Amino acid sequence: MMRVVSVANHKGGVGKTTVAVNLASAFARAGRRVLVLDNDPQGHATSALGVEPGHFSLSTRDLYLSSDVRVEDLRLPVDEQLWMVPAEIDLSTVEVELAEAPRRLRRLTERLAVSSMPYDLVFIDNPPHVGLLTLNALRASAEVLLPVDPGRFAVDAVGRFLRTLQELELERGHAPRPRVVANGFDLRTRYARRILEDLDALHPGLRLQTLLHRTVRLREAAEQGRPVDRVDAHCRATADFAALAKEMEGLD
């Protein structure tokens, strides 16, 4: 059964794209067929997978605005087990263009439903706010990963996002199951340990146990437009994402 997983957070700079791209690649290396759908007008997932703006004719925007466009019309191969749907800045017009449209929060769900989707997993990378694009992704997903960084507002951001999910379920009858991913934590510092303690106390059972450590390899990989496991198969970041993929495989 195909799993559709959104990667989202109200807070920017927490590593949403890093998690989406590198976790997708880890699953692909483990033999899964994986699609990354870039749902952010900044197009960071597109660039992180080596696709440059202007090097594609169809994008995520067309999924929202064209009733005859399907995923198979615009997906791009990354390697044998990994594909992507690209995005660029014109995706930002979708929220205005669909502001009064019927079923505007179901556009992505409906386009995925009529597309050929021979994947084990789909990861949707979202913008750093909850608007029409992110709400479409959440409606289309059964799970949502919330990356959190060791920052001052990490715990508050999780609480705000959980309230958004509660409102979505109340108003729309569906909300994906949330899971927190600790990204960029150094447990040698008391501050980072305290943030995790606060998260676990306020939201018990929500955090995945795999920690993603901060490493220069992730920045180098992003600059090269490649997942970290394609840059250095033996570095700590590659091992972290492989462990996270294995943990997610065992979840209900």
Side-chain angles (χ1 to χ4, degrees), residues 100-159:
E100 303 300 327
R103 303 175 67 81
R104 61 187 177 277
L105 295 183
R106 292 188 57 83
R107 288 297 180 100
L108 191 56
T109 300
E110 292 171 352
R111 299 322 300 157
L112 295 183
V114 299
S115 296
S116 174
M117 300 292 286
Y119 312 107
D120 299 302
L121 297 105
V122 177
F123 287 96
I124 306 176
D125 187 38
N126 290 288
H129 65 277
V130 179
L132 184 143
L133 295 173
T134 299
L135 289 173
N136 262 272
L138 295 176
R139 288 292 300 275
S141 302
E143 305 167 61
V144 56
L145 293 181
L146 281 69
V148 297
D149 65 347
R152 177 182 175 187
F153 302 109
V155 177
D156 290 343
V158 171

Side-chain angles (χ1 to χ4, degrees), residues 13-217:
V14 297
K16 291 184 295 295
T17 298
T18 297
V19 170
V21 166
N22 289 289
L23 183 56
S25 186
F27 271 109
R29 284 177 65 90
R32 303 294 182 262
R33 293 168 60 86
V34 187
L35 176 74
V36 175
L37 192 153
D38 194 342
N39 198 41
D40 184 349
Q42 297 176 98
H44 289 166
T46 300
S47 298
L49 289 171
V51 180
E52 296 298 324
H55 288 189
F56 46 89
S57 57
L58 295 173
S59 68
T60 303
R61 181 176 185 271
D62 297 286
L63 281 180
Y64 285 100
L65 300 180
S66 301
S67 60
D68 59 344
V69 170
R70 302 182 180 187
V71 170
E72 57 265 35
D73 298 322
L74 46 81
R75 70 176 187 177
L76 302 173
V78 177
D79 68 13
E80 186 177 350
Q81 295 289 115
L82 183 61
W83 293 262
M84 75 155 315
V85 173
E88 53 187 342
I89 192 62
D90 62 359
L91 180 60
S92 62
T93 68
V94 166
E95 299 207 3
V96 174
E97 294 184 65
L98 293 182
E100 303 300 327
R103 303 175 67 81
R104 61 187 177 277
L105 295 183
R106 292 188 57 83
R107 288 297 180 100
L108 191 56
T109 300
E110 292 171 352
R111 299 322 300 157
L112 295 183
V114 299
S115 296
S116 174
M117 300 292 286
Y119 312 107
D120 299 302
L121 297 105
V122 177
F123 287 96
I124 306 176
D125 187 38
N126 290 288
H129 65 277
V130 179
L132 184 143
L133 295 173
T134 299
L135 289 173
N136 262 272
L138 295 176
R139 288 292 300 275
S141 302
E143 305 167 61
V144 56
L145 293 181
L146 281 69
V148 297
D149 65 347
R152 177 182 175 187
F153 302 109
V155 177
D156 290 343
V158 171
R160 289 199 306 274
F161 202 92
L162 293 179
R163 288 192 291 274
T164 296
L165 294 180
Q166 291 170 352
E167 292 169 4
L168 182 63
E169 184 166 23
L170 182 64
E171 295 176 6
R172 304 291 173 175
H174 169 79
R177 180 173 179 177
R179 295 185 171 98
V180 170
V181 180
N183 182 41
F185 277 74
D186 183 350
L187 295 187
R188 292 173 298 181
T189 68
R190 182 181 303 173
Y191 182 66
R193 293 195 302 271
R194 190 175 76 235
I195 290 174
L196 291 186
E197 290 168 0
D198 290 346
L199 273 171
D200 292 341
L202 288 170
H203 309 292
L206 201 64
R207 181 171 63 88
L208 297 174
Q209 294 306 300
T210 303
L211 296 180
L212 303 176
H213 298 88
R214 189 177 303 278
T215 166
V216 69
R217 278 287 186 265

